[in-house]
Amino acid sequence: MNLTNRPLLQLIVLSVCLVVSVYTADYTDNYKHVPGQCILQNSCGSSLPCAQNTSDPITPDEDHIALLKTACPMYVDAENVCCAKDQLEDFIKQLDVVKNIIGGCEACYWDFQAIECAFFCDVNQHQFIQITNATLNETDSKTTVIGVRYFITKDAAKRIYNACKNVRDSISGGIGIVYVCGSADCDQDTFYLKLGDNAYTELKIEFVIADTSTVDYVKPYTDKDIYDCKDTVNGKTCSCMDCEEKICPIIVDEDTTVNWHYTLPIGLALCLVWMIVVLVLTFRHKSKSASNNTEIKSVGAGGLDNKAAELTSPVSIHETPNGQNDYGTSSPTRPNGASPTRPNDVPLSPSLSVASTISPLPNSPTEYENKSLITKREPLYQCWLRLGPRIGEAWSNMVYDYWYLVLLICFILTALCCGGWYNFRITTDPVELWTSEDSVSRMQKIDYDSQFGTTYRTCQLVVKEKSPSTFGVNNKIVNGVFNPDFLKQVYDMMVDIESLNVGNVTYSDLCYKPLGEFNKTHPKEDCATLSVFQWIDNNRSVLDNPADYIKRMELCAEATALPECLASFRGPSATNIVLGGYDAVKLNYMDSTTLPVTFALDGSAAKLENILKWETAMKDYLLEQMGRRPDLKIAFSTDRALEDEIDRASHADIFTIVLSYILMFVYVGVTLGDMDCSVKGCLLNSKALLGVGGVVIVLVSVVSALGVTSYAGLPTTLIVIEVIPFLILAVGVDNVYIMVQGIQRIICEKIEREETLNTSAIRGMLSSMMRDVFPSMILSSLCQMVAFALGSLSFMPSVQNFAYNATIALLMNFILQTTVFLILIRVDLMRQLNGRLDILCCIKAELNKPDRGPVRWFIEEFWAKYLLINKWIPAFILIFFGCFTIANVMLIPDLKLGLEPTMALPSDSYLLDYYHIAYTDYRIGPGMSFVFKSRDGSPLDVYEERTYGELISNQNSLLKTIGKYGESPSYQYIIGEGGSFIKYFSDSWLDSEPCCWNNGDEFCPSIKDRTDCSACPQSNMTTDTKYKYLQWFISDIPRTDGSGCSKGGAVSYANSAKFSPSNRSVISGRFTSSHGVLSTSHAFITARQQALVIADEVNSNSKIIEVYAYSSFYPYYEQYDTIVRECAVNLAVTIVATFLVALVMLGFQLHAALCVMLSVTMCAADMIGSMVYLNIPLNAISLVNLLLSVGIAVEFSANIVQAYTTSKEVGRTNKARHALRKTGPAIVSGIAMTNFVGVIVLAAAKSQLFVVFYFRMFFTINVLCVAHTIVFLPAFLAFLGD
């Protein structure tokens, strides 16, 4: 909202308020016209002319001619005129207002002067003017004219209307004649009907539009002095925005809407292709099996011994050592379950005899490989894969032997990391969160604040009727917000707010005063408070007379720039700021349903502490008023309100978040151990304390990461605090489950083999466990660390911060889990092997083989068995998941961007009502500026011809480009042409006689006594003179009593230019405008992008000036310029990095690394697609969550692929089944169930932010990752694993 430049300067008197009507009937009158005689002359008070039956015209003298040059230049050369000097002086005052509205188009302005001057100056006025009503003043015997008929030809009327119908006023940028008609539907008839039919003057003029040049004995006014808008007048032409006859350059609006007409068939086609590929591969595998069986039978028919035939037959790739195929059924070539005689990669060579191929049957696959007919060197990947287990074993032994030293080192390392907390700080500043230090918007904000300053903060009270009503006054019906009782209630609240005292400081001490140092006489009245009460001089007693104040409000709503309508701070109270809820097309202001009151507070840092206290007092007062005024719907907002409410929501949800983590901790402690039927057995095999230890390690990792980043001076964000623990807990708990279940498996095997279990076996058990799980742990951890480290390449500080903390936390978590947690497992094993219960360590029990938990039993005995029972189930799974991913990819173009402000608010926030009213009832959005400066950084001479052209007058100038785009329906978020201090100074203030006065080199302000002053000379002005006048204009305070200049720029343009030290040039300046109503994130994003398009076009057409667009919200929404690219690049880099790390850690097995990358990519793609139908927009929070999904997907996928590649089973299906049985229970019970337990609680959060981005998104991430890991990946590995 811009408080300084939003006057909607309406066309209040386009004549002495001509009242026009269309007259078609024959007219007869007894009035006798006398050629060469004036019938209207002089002024009879109140700008009304005197009637003269037969008055001689006036021969102008020098003073008269000087007035004619300003008021009626078309009569400067006339020998005689009918207008007296006092009439011309009154007319010049009226022209000041008119010029603000239509002065931008010289032809329209000339036409208005021509038709008006003909009315009271033309010596032939008797030919087209008839007096219809007059009153006789008995005091001076003068006859005052209050009604006339004005005859005008049809062509003249049409040309005048066409010349002015598109002209925009120079302040608000709106269509000028709209304010004459009082409606956007302003056709020619309405225009001439409404032109003077108003309460602004007592003179009524009825226009008679004639089809011919003569009506009876009347000769209508013709178009001899009329120009069309395309014509050049006084060397000036109208712009293309002001003139329909000129063609503006066509703006091509890019259509970014997703065309589902094309994407849907493409998606269906891709699904069909994928289905065909899977089915072809399925039948191909089946035909290979059949072919192999046929070959074996043909060899046997050739007379070979059955045993020889078995030994020499090629083995299908699907066969296992037990004569089973990959899906668990008996192979027809292996009766009695005989083992295969040769590896499937040794073909039957026609050159080898049967005898030469027969060799003794090996006892095991490993033995067979050593005794193979064709000696092979061990593959490189097998050598590499043996390195991981050896490192794990050596590491375990080292930790076991030197546990005290390991604990000491870990303690010192953790303490050093946590030492950074002395520099810990949390930032909620959106600029710090969303924009990098070298971002364009951030640099522009710094430049803007340094050039023009942070002028004010805003607080707003909005009041509506709970039960809408109407109110009758002045023979018309208006809405209930204009009812005196309603207005008095709002007025009383406004006064109470202004009277709030906080530490002996009141509103008048803290408010923003546009006049600043220019005026100190009325401190409270100078506060920039915007309300309809400014229109009645903030006088409550006026509300006792509805007929009067309604008439005044109607006038000021249509003409906010009238001196009597200016606010106490000498600026306009713009209608679209002080009224709301009216029809934006019809502009029926008296149908308003909302009454906003805006309080502006000083933006200086020195007053910030007291301002914050005052804003809190205002909030407390209005919350109290909500309960005390049940008939009113009260809504409000302060500058700090959003931040306060977000903070309140965060504190309100602390319990929910803590409960979420507690439940996860409890779940880990309860489910980490194995089940047992007896209570003692259950407690003996329980791992509750060990689970708590694992969780504590996770928390220590997070705390250490925050300490390290604090050392570096990086601020912590709420995103890090809320997401990092979830991520590390998810990843860390998985490793905890893998390690503990590995130990439990070893215990079970020893019990089954009836081996003695005592503490002396612990070292070997730990080394065996680490030998088995260390490769998968380091694979998943390294993949995630590299992925998140590369995520720090993002340009968004919040994402960078998350990436840094995640990488360090993962590293610390891995170090502590492979050291401290390994020692904790050792201690827990000593307890368990000594028969002591968990928690109740004093009680002993006998160690028995524990039962498997329900999750482990389900995965090992049911899911792994039946998921891959035949070839069709994996095929169906691949088809389903493939098509699901394709569908989600097709949805990605429809992904929304942004973060709605209401999402961050608690469900009971008072701001929700305020935002709802603002979005539905407001008719104007945030203020904006186009800042210009020299391209080479030197001061700018704005009056140099080329510079002035690029700023004001050229077809592609800054001012006209703003207006051009404001005309485009697709650029509805840019309102009008906006305010230009250069144009307003030149076209309005400088040309107005009452404004520029001086006494030598000293300026005489409008509000001061000008007895010793004279009008500023304007002929042959030098550059120095122009800049001197310009600075006088900016310091001039407008008068509000109608007796002087009301156009001073001290209120509207005080901060619009920064002058050079020589005061002969401008370092930088700004043209002000406004955005339309911005109710959604999409609207904010689009509004900013539209403003940038305008600035870019101006820069492309300019050689001298450089322009940028700025509004206070731009830095926060800059992230959406690149967030799609950021998302794509971050995900691509992390996924590729995951692939490369997996490729190295899996022994350069390309197919295994590709499986990891495929699963992670599908999870990410499915998550992005799911965001569309879950209505989750893309922003910094969801981008961080997408990176989180990659981390969790890597943890899931890497473990199962690692288990697959190291499996000693033969055949893809058996290897996939083995991998699922080995890692599936830890994945489901470790990560999935832990996350589910914690996430479900977040559904009860008060803030929609938590519900959408943490409950809804985390839950979906969990479901997708689990589904891809225990359903898709085993099926894919069984189908195409090698």
Side-chain angles (χ1 to χ4, degrees):
M1 181 181 305
N2 191 319
L3 302 178
T4 62
N5 64 335
R6 299 274 33 95
L8 295 180
L9 294 180
Q10 296 87 347
L11 193 54
I12 55 165
V13 275
L14 274 183
S15 64
V16 190
C17 289
L18 308 177
V19 177
V20 186
S21 64
V22 179
Y23 182 83
T24 56
D26 292 335
Y27 177 77
T28 59
D29 191 80
N30 295 325
Y31 187 86
K32 183 177 180 181
H33 299 276
V34 180
Q37 298 295 308
C38 299
I39 61 171
L40 300 173
Q41 202 171 66
N42 300 319
S43 293
C44 284
S46 302
S47 300
L48 295 174
C50 295
Q52 301 290 340
N53 287 330
T54 56
S55 176
D56 293 330
I58 303 169
T59 301
D61 56 19
E62 290 184 3
D63 293 338
H64 211 140
I65 293 174
L67 291 172
L68 286 172
K69 285 181 179 179
T70 302
C72 300
M74 61 287 302
Y75 289 95
V76 168
D77 297 327
E79 294 182 3
N80 298 305
V81 293
C82 288
C83 47
K85 291 181 181 179
D86 59 341
Q87 288 178 292
L88 290 173
E89 289 171 350
D90 288 341
F91 184 51
I92 288 173
K93 293 178 182 179
Q94 297 163 20
L95 285 177
D96 290 343
V97 178
V98 174
K99 194 162 189 177
N100 289 337
I101 302 166
I102 60 174
C105 178
E106 191 67 20
C108 172
Y109 184 62
W110 174 277
D111 289 349
F112 165 74
Q113 287 180 295
I115 193 175
E116 179 69 9
C117 290
F119 170 72
F120 66 92
C121 276
D122 200 304
V123 293
N124 294 316
Q125 61 183 212
H126 65 280
Q127 295 181 350
F128 48 85
I129 298 295
Q130 289 183 347
I131 298 173
T132 59
N133 198 358
T135 60
L136 178 63
N137 189 337
E138 297 181 356
T139 303
D140 55 11
S141 300
K142 291 184 178 180
T143 303
T144 302
V145 178
I146 59 175
V148 300
R149 287 196 181 97
Y150 192 136
F151 291 84
I152 183 173
T153 62
K154 186 176 182 180
D155 289 341
K158 182 177 180 181
R159 290 181 65 189
I160 294 171
Y161 172 78
N162 288 340
C164 295
K165 67 180 181 181
N166 295 311
V167 177
R168 295 180 172 274
D169 72 77
S170 60
I171 302 300
S172 70
I175 301 295
I177 66 170
V178 166
Y179 303 109
V180 178
C181 296
S183 169
D185 301 324
C186 190
D187 56 19
Q188 179 176 315
D189 291 343
T190 306
F191 171 72
Y192 280 114
L193 180 65
K194 294 289 185 178
L195 185 58
D197 189 6
N198 48 59
Y200 309 151
T201 182
E202 299 176 46
L203 179 64
K204 305 299 180 183
I205 305 176
E206 179 185 9
F207 265 61
V208 179
I209 300 176
D211 290 330
T212 63
S213 59
T214 302
V215 180
D216 294 337
Y217 50 85
V218 175
K219 187 177 182 180
Y221 178 78
T222 64
D223 56 359
K224 62 175 182 176
D225 293 323
I226 302 301
Y227 288 96
D228 295 325
C229 62
K230 64 181 179 180
D231 297 331
T232 300
V233 182
N234 296 329
K236 300 178 182 179
T237 59
C238 300
S239 69
C240 61
M241 292 89 67
D242 291 338
C243 183
E244 189 178 53
E245 298 175 25
K246 290 187 174 182
I247 300 176
C248 288
I250 298 175
I251 301 173
V252 179
D253 301 312
E254 296 183 7
D255 185 9
T256 58
T257 306
V258 178
N259 193 337
W260 293 107
H261 179 72
Y262 296 104
T263 56
L264 183 60
I266 292 174
L268 292 175
L270 290 175
C271 287
L272 182 61
V273 170
W274 173 246
M275 186 184 304
I276 293 172
V277 169
V278 172
L279 292 176
V280 167
L281 291 175
T282 304
F283 283 108
R284 182 171 176 268
H285 291 164
K286 180 179 179 181
S287 64
K288 272 191 174 184
S289 263
S291 174
N292 291 334
N293 294 339
T294 304
E295 184 177 352
I296 292 171
K297 290 180 180 179
S298 65
V299 173
L304 290 173
D305 179 81
N306 286 339
K307 184 68 176 176
E310 291 173 9
L311 292 172
T312 57
S313 62
V315 182
S316 167
I317 196 169
H318 297 283
E319 293 177 313
T320 71
N322 297 320
Q324 303 284 316
N325 61 26
D326 273 357
Y327 300 100
T329 57
S330 298
S331 169
T333 64
R334 292 288 177 265
N336 303 321
S339 298
T341 61
R342 53 190 287 116
N344 53 31
D345 57 352
V346 181
L348 180 63
S349 172
S351 63
L352 294 176
S353 65
V354 173
S356 68
T357 62
I358 299 176
S359 62
L361 187 66
N363 295 322
S364 68
T366 304
E367 182 183 349
Y368 176 81
E369 290 178 3
N370 295 332
K371 296 182 179 182
S372 177
L373 296 177
I374 302 177
T375 303
K376 299 188 299 179
R377 294 185 63 185
E378 186 176 40
L380 174 63
Y381 76 87
Q382 290 187 0
C383 297
W384 184 265
L385 290 179
R386 280 207 299 270
L387 183 62
R390 289 173 181 172
I391 294 175
E393 183 179 2
W395 182 266
S396 174
N397 292 334
M398 185 271 293
V399 172
Y400 187 90
D401 294 337
Y402 302 99
W403 62 272
Y404 50 89
L405 184 59
V406 170
L407 283 178
L408 179 62
I409 294 173
C410 290
F411 176 79
I412 294 173
L413 176 63
T414 303
L416 289 174
C417 291
C418 294
W421 275 74
Y422 79 91
N423 197 31
F424 177 80
R425 68 184 180 94
I426 297 177
T427 181
T428 56
D429 182 1
V431 176
E432 272 194 275
L433 288 174
W434 314 130
T435 62
S436 61
E437 291 184 356
D438 58 349
S439 78
V440 175
S441 286
R442 190 167 183 172
M443 295 174 68
Q444 289 174 349
K445 180 184 187 305
I446 294 172
D447 178 72
Y448 185 88
D449 290 343
S450 66
Q451 300 289 340
F452 310 108
T454 304
T455 52
Y456 55 84
R457 299 161 62 95
T458 57
C459 300
Q460 201 163 48
L461 164 66
V462 184
V463 189
K464 300 182 67 171
E465 291 182 299
K466 281 190 177 179
S467 301
S469 62
T470 56
F471 172 58
V473 64
N474 296 342
N475 297 321
K476 60 179 67 177
I477 302 296
V478 297
N479 269 355
V481 295
F482 295 102
N483 187 297
D485 293 335
F486 178 87
L487 290 173
K488 287 177 182 178
Q489 290 192 70
V490 178
Y491 182 89
D492 291 341
M493 284 191 288
M494 181 186 75
V495 172
D496 288 345
I497 291 172
E498 291 178 337
S499 303
L500 290 173
N501 191 310
V502 181
N504 294 323
V505 176
T506 62
Y507 175 65
S508 62
D509 301 314
L510 304 173
C511 68
Y512 168 61
K513 301 174 182 178
L515 298 180
E517 297 297 322
F518 298 129
N519 185 23
K520 298 182 178 179
T521 56
H522 304 289
K524 181 178 178 181
E525 286 74 7
D526 288 345
C527 292
T529 304
L530 295 178
S531 70
V532 293
F533 305 113
Q534 294 281 11
W535 293 344
I536 58 172
D537 301 323
N538 290 315
N539 188 347
R540 190 181 190 275
S541 62
V542 175
L543 300 176
D544 294 330
N545 191 338
D548 289 344
Y549 78 71
I550 288 293
K551 184 177 180 180
R552 179 71 171 268
M553 288 184 176
E554 284 181 319
L555 168 64
C556 292
E558 294 286 349
T560 57
L562 280 176
E564 58 267 35
C565 295
L566 293 181
S568 59
F569 59 90
R570 311 299 175 94
S573 287
T575 308
N576 52 8
I577 294 178
V578 301
L579 291 175
Y582 57 83
D583 192 306
V585 177
K586 295 182 179 179
L587 299 179
N588 45 351
Y589 300 123
M590 304 314 288
D591 288 341
S592 298
T593 59
T594 304
L595 219 60
V597 180
T598 304
F599 304 90
L601 297 167
D602 196 321
S604 62
K607 298 181 179 180
L608 182 59
E609 183 179 353
N610 285 327
I611 285 174
L612 294 178
K613 293 178 181 178
W614 188 89
E615 288 180 355
T616 302
M618 174 183 171
K619 179 191 74 173
D620 295 339
Y621 168 78
L622 288 175
L623 288 176
E624 179 187 355
Q625 293 299 308
M626 287 181 179
R628 298 179 62 179
R629 300 181 188 271
D631 56 328
L632 302 183
K633 184 173 184 179
I634 301 173
F636 66 93
S637 174
T638 64
D639 212 65
R640 62 176 295 174
L642 182 59
E643 185 176 344
D644 285 348
E645 286 298 281
I646 292 175
D647 185 60
R648 185 172 73 88
S650 300
H651 283 86
D653 287 326
I654 285 177
F655 174 77
T656 305
I657 298 170
V658 171
L659 178 62
S660 171
Y661 285 122
I662 289 175
L663 289 177
M664 287 192 282
F665 298 161
V666 171
Y667 172 82
V668 172
V670 171
T671 62
L672 191 58
D674 285 327
M675 304 294 293
D676 199 287
C677 295
S678 65
V679 175
K680 283 189 175 182
C682 184
L683 287 176
L684 180 64
N685 294 305
S686 169
K687 305 292 181 184
L689 290 178
L690 186 61
V692 171
V695 170
V696 170
I697 286 175
V698 170
L699 297 180
V700 170
S701 302
V702 175
V703 172
S704 299
L706 292 175
V708 173
T709 54
S710 296
Y711 270 126
L714 294 176
T716 300
T717 66
L718 293 177
I719 295 177
V720 170
I721 295 174
E722 292 158 356
V723 177
I724 293 293
F726 184 88
L727 169 66
I728 307 304
L729 190 64
V731 173
V733 166
D734 183 45
N735 290 337
V736 166
Y737 272 85
I738 289 175
M739 295 172 73
V740 172
Q741 288 184 4
I743 284 291
Q744 294 292 72
R745 193 175 291 111
I746 293 172
I747 293 176
C748 291
E749 290 174 355
K750 287 184 176 293
I751 291 176
E752 287 177 352
R753 293 196 298 266
E754 298 182 353
E755 295 182 9
T756 302
L757 286 174
N758 51 49
T759 54
S760 62
I762 292 178
R763 187 177 190 273
M765 294 168 65
L766 290 176
S767 62
S768 297
M769 180 270 293
M770 286 297 287
R771 181 183 179 90
D772 187 36
V773 304
F774 184 79
S776 65
M777 286 178 62
I778 195 170
L779 169 63
S780 59
S781 297
L782 194 57
C783 284
Q784 292 167 51
M785 283 187 283
V786 172
F788 286 119
L790 291 174
S792 65
L793 298 176
S794 169
F795 296 107
M796 206 176 299
S798 57
V799 178
Q800 287 179 343
N801 199 298
F802 167 78
Y804 292 142
N805 282 278
T807 304
I808 298 170
L810 285 168
L811 177 61
M812 286 297 299
N813 185 65
F814 178 78
I815 293 172
L816 295 179
Q817 282 186 334
T818 54
T819 53
V820 177
F821 190 70
L822 196 59
I823 296 173
L824 293 178
I825 293 178
R826 172 189 175 176
V827 174
D828 188 75
L829 274 176
M830 293 173 65
R831 172 199 64 79
Q832 188 177 13
L833 296 181
N834 284 326
R836 296 188 178 276
L837 304 186
D838 193 22
I839 304 176
L840 306 174
C841 300
C842 297
I843 304 175
K844 300 188 68 174
E846 183 179 354
L847 178 65
N848 295 313
K849 179 183 177 182
D851 294 331
R852 290 176 292 179
V855 175
R856 185 174 171 187
W857 177 89
F858 176 78
I859 295 294
E860 292 181 352
E861 298 299 329
F862 179 82
W863 189 255
K865 179 179 179 180
Y866 292 104
L867 180 69
L868 307 174
I869 196 170
N870 60 53
K871 63 181 179 296
W872 294 110
I873 293 179
F876 173 78
I877 291 172
L878 293 186
I879 291 173
F880 174 80
F881 276 84
C883 291
F884 181 70
T885 300
I886 291 171
N888 282 313
V889 171
M890 292 296 104
L891 287 173
I892 289 177
D894 208 32
L895 181 63
K896 295 180 180 179
L897 306 180
L899 176 62
E900 305 301 333
T902 54
M903 272 192 176
L905 298 174
S907 55
D908 59 347
S909 174
Y910 62 86
L911 283 179
L912 292 174
D913 284 339
Y914 173 79
Y915 281 122
H916 175 72
I917 294 174
Y919 296 160
T920 56
D921 290 359
Y922 279 19
R923 295 297 175 256
I924 192 170
M928 61 174 298
S929 298
F930 287 94
V931 179
F932 63 86
K933 57 178 63 178
S934 172
R935 284 184 178 272
D936 58 10
S938 61
L940 203 62
D941 182 3
V942 296
Y943 289 106
E944 190 271 327
E945 183 178 357
R946 291 181 302 164
T947 306
Y948 188 83
E950 291 184 1
L951 287 171
I952 304 294
S953 60
N954 290 351
Q955 199 67 30
N956 295 319
S957 67
L958 170 60
L959 196 63
K960 293 183 179 179
T961 302
I962 298 171
K964 177 182 68 176
Y965 277 88
E967 283 288 285
S968 172
S970 297
Y971 283 75
Q972 72 272 28
Y973 297 123
I974 305 295
I975 294 182
E977 188 175 277
S980 162
F981 70 96
I982 300 173
K983 183 177 176 62
Y984 190 66
F985 162 71
S986 302
D987 293 353
S988 185
W989 187 84
L990 193 59
D991 285 350
S992 299
E993 185 177 347
C995 290
C996 186
W997 287 66
N998 67 335
N999 184 359
D1001 289 335
E1002 292 185 6
F1003 175 58
C1004 298
S1006 298
I1007 62 172
K1008 301 293 184 181
D1009 180 31
R1010 291 178 166 181
T1011 303
D1012 299 327
C1013 302
S1014 58
C1016 299
Q1018 298 185 25
S1019 59
N1020 302 319
M1021 287 188 297
T1022 64
T1023 300
D1024 289 349
T1025 303
K1026 289 182 180 179
Y1027 277 102
K1028 181 171 63 176
Y1029 291 173
L1030 178 60
Q1031 291 178 75
W1032 288 354
F1033 156 69
I1034 290 177
S1035 66
D1036 192 22
I1037 299 174
R1039 293 187 70 96
T1040 59
D1041 55 8
S1043 63
C1045 179
S1046 62
K1047 302 177 182 180
V1051 175
S1052 299
Y1053 299 108
N1055 295 310
S1056 290
K1058 184 174 183 180
F1059 293 94
S1060 64
S1062 66
N1063 290 326
R1064 294 189 58 187
S1065 56
V1066 172
I1067 296 175
S1068 62
R1070 60 174 179 170
F1071 291 171
T1072 54
S1073 185
S1074 282
H1075 286 294
V1077 178
L1078 307 179
S1079 58
T1080 63
S1081 286
H1082 173 73
F1084 279 98
I1085 295 168
T1086 305
R1088 177 179 173 275
Q1089 290 173 344
Q1090 290 177 355
L1092 295 184
V1093 169
I1094 295 174
D1096 289 342
E1097 179 168 323
V1098 173
N1099 288 328
S1100 66
N1101 293 323
S1102 301
K1103 296 181 180 180
I1104 300 174
I1105 65 169
E1106 185 177 30
V1107 175
Y1108 69 82
Y1110 177 78
S1111 186
S1112 58
F1113 67 88
Y1114 285 4
Y1116 316 142
Y1117 287 89
E1118 184 186 28
Q1119 57 178 302
Y1120 299 106
D1121 290 347
T1122 59
I1123 197 167
V1124 174
R1125 180 178 62 83
E1126 285 267 315
C1127 181
V1129 170
N1130 274 279
L1131 291 178
V1133 167
T1134 53
I1135 291 172
V1136 171
T1138 298
F1139 165 74
L1140 294 176
V1141 174
L1143 181 65
V1144 174
M1145 299 305 298
L1146 291 172
F1148 299 97
Q1149 297 182 83
L1150 181 61
H1151 66 281
L1154 286 173
C1155 287
V1156 175
M1157 186 175 73
L1158 176 65
S1159 179
V1160 172
T1161 303
M1162 291 180 68
C1163 283
D1166 290 343
M1167 186 62 241
I1168 298 174
S1170 300
M1171 289 169 63
V1172 176
Y1173 47 81
L1174 290 175
N1175 198 25
I1176 302 174
L1178 178 61
N1179 50 51
I1181 300 175
S1182 52
L1183 176 55
V1184 167
N1185 288 346
L1186 287 173
L1187 294 178
L1188 171 72
S1189 72
V1190 171
I1192 295 178
V1194 168
E1195 179 72 20
F1196 281 34
S1197 306
N1199 284 326
I1200 197 168
V1201 173
Q1202 169 75 19
Y1204 178 88
T1205 58
T1206 58
S1207 174
K1208 295 180 180 179
E1209 299 288 337
V1210 178
R1212 290 192 295 264
T1213 302
N1214 286 331
K1215 291 167 71 176
R1217 188 179 289 119
H1218 172 264
L1220 184 56
R1221 284 172 173 161
K1222 181 179 179 181
T1223 61
I1227 290 172
V1228 175
S1229 59
I1231 305 180
M1233 294 304 298
T1234 304
N1235 290 351
F1236 280 133
V1237 169
V1239 166
I1240 288 175
V1241 179
L1242 296 179
K1246 290 186 177 181
S1247 171
Q1248 282 296 306
L1249 197 70
F1250 279 92
V1251 174
V1252 173
F1253 292 103
Y1254 297 119
F1255 164 67
R1256 198 182 297 174
M1257 201 167 182
F1258 282 4
F1259 189 87
T1260 307
I1261 289 172
N1262 242 11
V1263 170
L1264 292 174
C1265 289
V1266 170
H1268 281 83
T1269 304
I1270 69 171
V1271 181
F1272 168 76
L1273 199 51
F1276 185 82
L1277 291 171
F1279 203 79
L1280 294 169
D1282 296 331

